[in-house]
Amino acid sequence: MTFTASLGSAGSSTVLHLAGRLTDADVRTLRTLVDQAVGSAPRRLLVDANDLEALVPAGVRCLAFAQQHLAPGTEMVIAGASEDLRQALARAGLTESMTVVTATATATAAA
């Protein structure tokens, strides 16, 4: 599935929706949206990864950049993370600085 991404907001939260397979060719698009999300100074950044099938290491670095450049006290949540994404975030040392909700936990919570 082709990678798509969109950015929206609701109140003081910014939502970054990711879908498909993020390849190296798509990283520039993700980085642009991450820059916009960080620039909007949200109190909470929600990355909706429920429809994300794959993410290259450069995509993980973009998420790390977002987390590092958010204002102190801003919560970053990765919702719907696949096991592969969760492991990639853990290898990058990011699971301690953001909330990661796995796809299974998200589906169970919705039931």
Side-chain angles (χ1 to χ4, degrees), residues 51-87:
D51 299 322
L52 186 64
E53 296 173 6
L55 184 74
V56 294
V60 174
R61 286 192 298 276
C62 284
L63 296 178
F65 173 87
Q67 188 279 325
Q68 293 166 349
H69 288 85
L70 289 169
T74 301
E75 178 184 27
M76 184 167 175
V77 177
I78 310 292
S82 67
E83 183 62 21
D84 289 340
L85 176 55
R86 190 196 61 73
Q87 288 179 7

Side-chain angles (χ1 to χ4, degrees), residues 5 7-8 12-13 17 22 24-25 34 38 48 53-54 60 63 71 84 103:
L7 191 63
S12 61
S13 295
H17 181 263
L22 181 108
D24 287 325
V34 164
V38 169
D48 178 355
E53 296 173 6
V60 174
L63 296 178
D84 289 340

Side-chain angles (χ1 to χ4, degrees), residues 3 11 19-20 22-23 32 34-35 39-40 70 74 78 83 97 102 108-109:
F3 177 73
L22 181 108
T23 65
T32 298
V34 164
D35 287 344
S40 70
L70 289 169
T74 301
I78 310 292
E83 183 62 21
S97 59
T102 62
T108 301

